[in-house]
Protein backbone atom coordinates (compact mmCIF):
# COMPACT_ATOMS: atom_id res chain seq x y z
CA UNK A 1 0.00 0.00 0.00
CA UNK A 2 1.39 3.42 -0.93
CA UNK A 3 1.91 6.10 1.75
CA UNK A 4 -0.66 8.34 0.04
CA UNK A 5 -3.36 5.72 0.54
CA UNK A 6 -3.49 6.67 4.22
CA UNK A 7 -4.09 10.36 3.43
CA UNK A 8 -7.77 11.25 2.89
CA UNK A 9 -8.59 13.38 -0.13
CA UNK A 10 -9.83 16.93 0.33
CA UNK A 11 -13.36 15.75 -0.46
CA UNK A 12 -13.09 13.05 2.22
CA UNK A 13 -11.78 15.52 4.79
CA UNK A 14 -14.69 17.85 4.09
CA UNK A 15 -17.17 14.97 4.36
CA UNK A 16 -15.61 13.91 7.67
CA UNK A 17 -16.10 17.30 9.32
CA UNK A 18 -18.30 17.15 12.42
CA UNK A 19 -20.81 19.66 11.06
CA UNK A 20 -23.23 19.59 14.05
CA UNK A 21 -20.33 20.45 16.40
CA UNK A 22 -19.11 23.14 14.01
CA UNK A 23 -22.59 24.68 13.85
CA UNK A 24 -22.78 24.66 17.64
CA UNK A 25 -19.49 26.59 17.87
CA UNK A 26 -20.67 29.07 15.24
CA UNK A 27 -23.90 29.63 17.16
CA UNK A 28 -21.95 30.18 20.38
CA UNK A 29 -18.96 32.23 19.21
CA UNK A 30 -19.56 33.24 15.59
CA UNK A 31 -16.55 31.14 14.57
CA UNK A 32 -15.39 27.52 14.44
CA UNK A 33 -12.08 25.84 13.60
CA UNK A 34 -11.68 22.94 11.18
CA UNK A 35 -8.36 21.35 12.08
CA UNK A 36 -6.08 20.01 9.32
CA UNK A 37 -8.42 20.76 6.44
CA UNK A 38 -5.43 21.09 4.09
CA UNK A 39 -2.20 19.11 4.10
CA UNK A 40 1.19 20.81 4.37
CA UNK A 41 1.79 19.99 0.71
CA UNK A 42 -1.48 21.64 -0.33
CA UNK A 43 -0.63 24.68 1.78
CA UNK A 44 2.77 25.04 0.10
CA UNK A 45 1.21 24.64 -3.34
CA UNK A 46 -1.37 27.35 -2.69
CA UNK A 47 1.18 29.70 -1.11
CA UNK A 48 3.38 29.25 -4.17
CA UNK A 49 0.63 30.59 -6.41
CA UNK A 50 1.16 34.06 -4.98
CA UNK A 51 4.18 34.55 -7.25
CA UNK A 52 2.20 33.52 -10.36
CA UNK A 53 0.31 36.62 -11.59
CA UNK A 54 -1.66 34.66 -14.17
CA UNK A 55 -3.88 33.24 -11.43
CA UNK A 56 -5.08 36.65 -10.19
CA UNK A 57 -7.30 39.50 -11.37
CA UNK A 58 -5.97 42.22 -9.05
CA UNK A 59 -3.42 42.97 -6.32
CA UNK A 60 -4.04 45.21 -3.31
CA UNK A 61 -1.30 46.90 -1.25
CA UNK A 62 -3.04 47.44 2.08
CA UNK A 63 -1.11 50.54 3.16
CA UNK A 64 -2.31 52.47 0.10
CA UNK A 65 -5.92 52.13 1.26
CA UNK A 66 -5.51 52.34 5.03
CA UNK A 67 -6.29 48.63 5.41
CA UNK A 68 -3.11 47.88 7.35
CA UNK A 69 0.23 46.60 6.01
CA UNK A 70 0.79 43.64 3.71
CA UNK A 71 -0.89 42.71 0.47
CA UNK A 72 -3.35 40.33 -1.12
CA UNK A 73 -4.46 39.17 -4.54
CA UNK A 74 -7.90 38.16 -5.77
CA UNK A 75 -8.05 35.04 -7.91
CA UNK A 76 -9.46 35.27 -11.42
CA UNK A 77 -11.86 32.81 -13.01
CA UNK A 78 -11.41 29.92 -13.53
CA UNK A 79 -10.29 29.39 -9.95
CA UNK A 80 -7.51 26.91 -9.15
CA UNK A 81 -8.98 23.43 -8.66
CA UNK A 82 -8.39 23.31 -4.89
CA UNK A 83 -9.94 26.75 -4.37
CA UNK A 84 -12.96 25.87 -6.52
CA UNK A 85 -13.41 22.58 -4.67
CA UNK A 86 -13.27 24.27 -1.28
CA UNK A 87 -15.78 26.93 -2.34
CA UNK A 88 -18.28 24.51 -3.85
CA UNK A 89 -17.95 21.79 -1.19
CA UNK A 90 -18.04 23.92 1.97
CA UNK A 91 -20.94 26.11 0.85
CA UNK A 92 -23.75 23.45 0.89
CA UNK A 93 -22.86 22.39 4.42
CA UNK A 94 -23.14 25.99 5.63
CA UNK A 95 -26.42 26.85 3.86
CA UNK A 96 -28.75 25.46 6.59
CA UNK A 97 -27.11 27.62 9.25
CA UNK A 98 -27.01 30.67 6.95
CA UNK A 99 -30.74 30.34 6.25
CA UNK A 100 -31.50 29.80 9.94
CA UNK A 101 -29.56 32.93 10.87
CA UNK A 102 -31.49 34.99 8.33
CA UNK A 103 -34.76 33.64 9.68
CA UNK A 104 -33.77 34.57 13.25
CA UNK A 105 -32.83 38.08 12.11
CA UNK A 106 -36.02 38.59 10.13
CA UNK A 107 -34.15 38.68 6.81
CA UNK A 108 -36.23 37.30 3.95
CA UNK A 109 -33.29 36.14 1.81
CA UNK A 110 -32.76 32.38 1.58
CA UNK A 111 -29.74 30.76 -0.04
CA UNK A 112 -29.92 27.99 -2.66
CA UNK A 113 -28.54 24.57 -1.74
CA UNK A 114 -25.74 24.59 -4.32
CA UNK A 115 -23.05 27.22 -4.81
CA UNK A 116 -23.39 27.62 -8.63
CA UNK A 117 -27.00 28.72 -8.15
CA UNK A 118 -25.92 31.33 -5.60
CA UNK A 119 -23.14 32.59 -7.89
CA UNK A 120 -25.69 32.87 -10.68
CA UNK A 121 -27.76 35.10 -8.38
CA UNK A 122 -24.70 37.26 -7.67
CA UNK A 123 -23.82 37.59 -11.36
CA UNK A 124 -27.39 38.51 -12.29
CA UNK A 125 -27.10 41.42 -9.83
CA UNK A 126 -23.81 42.60 -11.34
CA UNK A 127 -21.53 40.91 -8.79
CA UNK A 128 -19.33 39.06 -11.29
CA UNK A 129 -15.79 39.38 -9.91
CA UNK A 130 -14.45 36.38 -7.94
CA UNK A 131 -13.55 37.07 -4.32
CA UNK A 132 -11.38 34.14 -3.13
CA UNK A 133 -7.97 35.60 -2.31
CA UNK A 134 -4.45 34.95 -1.11
CA UNK A 135 -3.01 37.23 1.57
CA UNK A 136 0.70 37.74 2.17
CA UNK A 137 2.23 39.32 5.29
CA UNK A 138 5.87 40.05 6.16
CA UNK A 139 7.52 41.55 9.26
CA UNK A 140 5.49 44.41 10.79
CA UNK A 141 2.51 43.69 8.51
CA UNK A 142 -1.03 43.48 9.88
CA UNK A 143 -4.64 43.62 8.73
CA UNK A 144 -7.06 46.12 10.28
CA UNK A 145 -10.42 44.92 11.54
CA UNK A 146 -12.88 44.79 8.64
CA UNK A 147 -15.81 43.03 6.97
CA UNK A 148 -15.75 41.46 3.49
CA UNK A 149 -18.88 42.95 1.94
CA UNK A 150 -18.83 43.33 -1.83
CA UNK A 151 -22.39 44.09 -2.90
CA UNK A 152 -26.07 43.48 -2.21
CA UNK A 153 -25.76 39.69 -2.13
CA UNK A 154 -23.70 38.50 0.84
CA UNK A 155 -23.36 34.96 2.13
CA UNK A 156 -23.11 35.35 5.93
CA UNK A 157 -20.21 32.93 6.49
CA UNK A 158 -16.68 32.75 5.10
CA UNK A 159 -13.53 30.68 5.60
CA UNK A 160 -9.87 31.56 6.19
CA UNK A 161 -7.20 28.86 5.91
CA UNK A 162 -3.73 29.41 7.34
CA UNK A 163 -1.15 28.22 4.80
CA UNK A 164 1.98 28.95 6.86
CA UNK A 165 3.23 27.29 10.04
CA UNK A 166 3.31 29.53 13.15
CA UNK A 167 6.63 29.44 14.97
CA UNK A 168 8.36 28.10 11.89
CA UNK A 169 7.39 30.30 8.94
CA UNK A 170 6.41 33.35 10.98
CA UNK A 171 5.82 34.71 14.48
CA UNK A 172 3.00 36.96 15.66
CA UNK A 173 0.25 37.42 13.11
CA UNK A 174 -2.66 35.98 15.11
CA UNK A 175 -6.16 35.94 13.63
CA UNK A 176 -8.39 38.33 15.60
CA UNK A 177 -12.19 38.37 15.65
CA UNK A 178 -14.25 41.01 17.46
CA UNK A 179 -17.97 41.28 18.06
CA UNK A 180 -20.03 44.26 19.16
CA UNK A 181 -23.27 43.59 20.99
CA UNK A 182 -25.80 46.41 21.46
CA UNK A 183 -24.98 48.67 24.42
CA UNK A 184 -22.00 46.50 25.35
CA UNK A 185 -18.24 46.79 24.87
CA UNK A 186 -16.60 44.81 22.07
CA UNK A 187 -15.40 41.28 22.75
CA UNK A 188 -12.19 40.10 21.07
CA UNK A 189 -11.12 36.55 20.29
CA UNK A 190 -7.58 35.58 19.31
CA UNK A 191 -7.83 32.39 17.29
CA UNK A 192 -5.07 29.76 17.56
CA UNK A 193 -4.56 28.36 14.06
CA UNK A 194 -1.92 25.95 12.77
CA UNK A 195 -0.89 25.30 9.17
CA UNK A 196 -3.78 23.80 7.25
CA UNK A 197 -6.43 24.80 9.81
CA UNK A 198 -9.54 26.57 8.54
CA UNK A 199 -11.60 29.09 10.45
CA UNK A 200 -15.28 29.44 9.55
CA UNK A 201 -16.69 32.74 10.80
CA UNK A 202 -19.48 35.25 10.36
CA UNK A 203 -18.89 37.83 7.63
CA UNK A 204 -20.58 40.76 9.30
CA UNK A 205 -23.38 39.80 11.71
CA UNK A 206 -25.01 36.89 13.49
CA UNK A 207 -28.07 36.40 15.68
CA UNK A 208 -27.81 36.04 19.44
CA UNK A 209 -30.85 35.14 21.52
CA UNK A 210 -31.78 37.55 24.29
CA UNK A 211 -34.71 37.79 26.68
CA UNK A 212 -36.78 39.58 24.03
CA UNK A 213 -35.83 37.45 21.07
CA UNK A 214 -32.87 37.59 18.72
CA UNK A 215 -30.65 40.62 18.23
CA UNK A 216 -27.81 41.30 15.81
CA UNK A 217 -24.17 41.11 16.77
CA UNK A 218 -21.70 42.78 14.39
CA UNK A 219 -18.36 41.07 13.78
CA UNK A 220 -15.07 42.24 12.32
CA UNK A 221 -11.88 40.31 11.69
CA UNK A 222 -8.22 41.08 11.14
CA UNK A 223 -4.66 39.92 11.76
CA UNK A 224 -2.32 41.21 14.47
CA UNK A 225 1.18 42.42 13.63
CA UNK A 226 3.57 39.83 12.22
CA UNK A 227 6.89 39.95 14.10
CA UNK A 228 9.05 37.89 11.74
CA UNK A 229 8.89 35.66 8.69
CA UNK A 230 6.19 35.34 6.05
CA UNK A 231 2.51 34.46 6.57
CA UNK A 232 0.10 33.34 3.82
CA UNK A 233 -3.64 32.85 4.15
CA UNK A 234 -6.29 31.61 1.73
CA UNK A 235 -9.64 33.38 2.01
CA UNK A 236 -12.77 31.66 0.74
CA UNK A 237 -15.62 34.15 0.31
CA UNK A 238 -18.77 32.65 -1.19
CA UNK A 239 -20.31 35.76 -2.79
CA UNK A 240 -18.74 37.56 -5.74
CA UNK A 241 -18.01 41.27 -5.98
CA UNK A 242 -19.35 44.12 -8.07
Amino acid sequence: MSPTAHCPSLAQRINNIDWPSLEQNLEQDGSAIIRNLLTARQCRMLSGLYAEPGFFRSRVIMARHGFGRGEYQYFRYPLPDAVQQLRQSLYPALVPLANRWNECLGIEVRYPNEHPAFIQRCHAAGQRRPTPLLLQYGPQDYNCLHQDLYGEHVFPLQVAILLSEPGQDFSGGEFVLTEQRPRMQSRAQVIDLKQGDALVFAVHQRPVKGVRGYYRVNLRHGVSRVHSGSRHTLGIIFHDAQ
Side-chain angles (χ1 to χ4, degrees):
M1 184 178 292
S2 67
T4 56
H6 296 287
C7 183
S9 68
L10 178 56
Q12 289 173 323
R13 289 196 296 276
I14 292 173
N15 288 335
N16 291 337
I17 293 170
D18 184 350
W19 290 107
S21 176
L22 184 138
E23 284 195 9
Q24 184 177 3
N25 289 334
L26 283 166
E27 294 275 24
Q28 176 179 307
D29 296 320
S31 65
I33 298 175
I34 304 172
R35 296 292 183 190
N36 301 309
L37 180 60
L38 296 182
T39 65
R41 181 178 180 181
Q42 289 169 326
C43 289
R44 290 192 296 270
M45 181 275 292
L46 287 165
S47 294
L49 295 182
Y50 201 88
E52 303 291 338
F55 285 100
F56 302 97
R57 64 173 176 85
S58 66
R59 177 170 172 251
V60 177
I61 307 299
M62 294 188 205
R64 294 177 183 172
H65 307 276
F67 297 163
R69 275 189 50 168
E71 59 184 66
Y72 54 88
Q73 297 187 89
Y74 288 107
F75 286 102
R76 67 169 68 247
Y77 280 130
L79 300 174
D81 290 344
V83 178
Q84 178 72 4
Q85 185 177 1
L86 285 163
R87 209 182 191 203
Q88 289 201 348
S89 299
L90 292 170
Y91 171 91
L94 297 172
V95 164
L97 179 62
N99 284 332
R100 190 160 66 247
W101 277 7
N102 277 11
E103 182 179 0
C104 291
L105 293 173
I107 300 172
E108 294 183 359
V109 172
R110 297 295 180 268
Y111 303 98
N113 292 329
E114 301 298 327
H115 191 250
F118 177 60
I119 286 297
Q120 186 176 16
R121 181 187 296 180
C122 290
H123 290 189
Q127 295 177 217
R128 298 187 177 93
R129 296 187 296 164
T131 51
L133 71 164
L134 271 182
L135 302 101
Q136 177 174 271
Y137 304 88
Q140 303 305 310
D141 289 349
Y142 62 94
N143 197 345
C144 295
L145 295 171
H146 65 282
Q147 299 171 324
D148 293 311
L149 305 174
Y150 296 102
E152 174 189 359
H153 295 279
V154 175
F155 191 73
L157 294 155
Q158 67 188 82
V159 181
I161 305 174
L162 183 60
L163 303 179
S164 307
E165 182 62 50
Q168 178 176 317
D169 298 323
F170 71 96
S171 64
E174 295 88 358
F175 189 98
V176 179
L177 190 68
T178 67
E179 61 177 23
Q180 176 63 60
R181 302 189 181 196
R183 299 176 298 280
M184 297 176 66
Q185 293 182 331
S186 295
R187 181 180 74 159
Q189 299 179 67
V190 177
I191 312 294
D192 179 27
L193 297 176
K194 305 299 183 185
Q195 184 181 48
D197 289 350
L199 182 71
V200 186
F201 59 99
V203 172
H204 68 308
Q205 61 185 20
R206 69 181 183 96
V208 172
K209 192 170 185 178
V211 294
R212 299 181 181 178
Y214 288 94
Y215 60 92
R216 301 185 185 197
V217 169
N218 289 313
L219 293 98
R220 296 180 182 275
H221 64 278
V223 172
S224 69
R225 194 181 303 273
V226 173
H227 301 312
S228 64
S230 179
R231 181 190 193 277
H232 287 90
T233 305
L234 171 66
I236 301 292
I237 298 164
F238 297 103
H239 46 274
D240 275 356
Q242 289 180 336

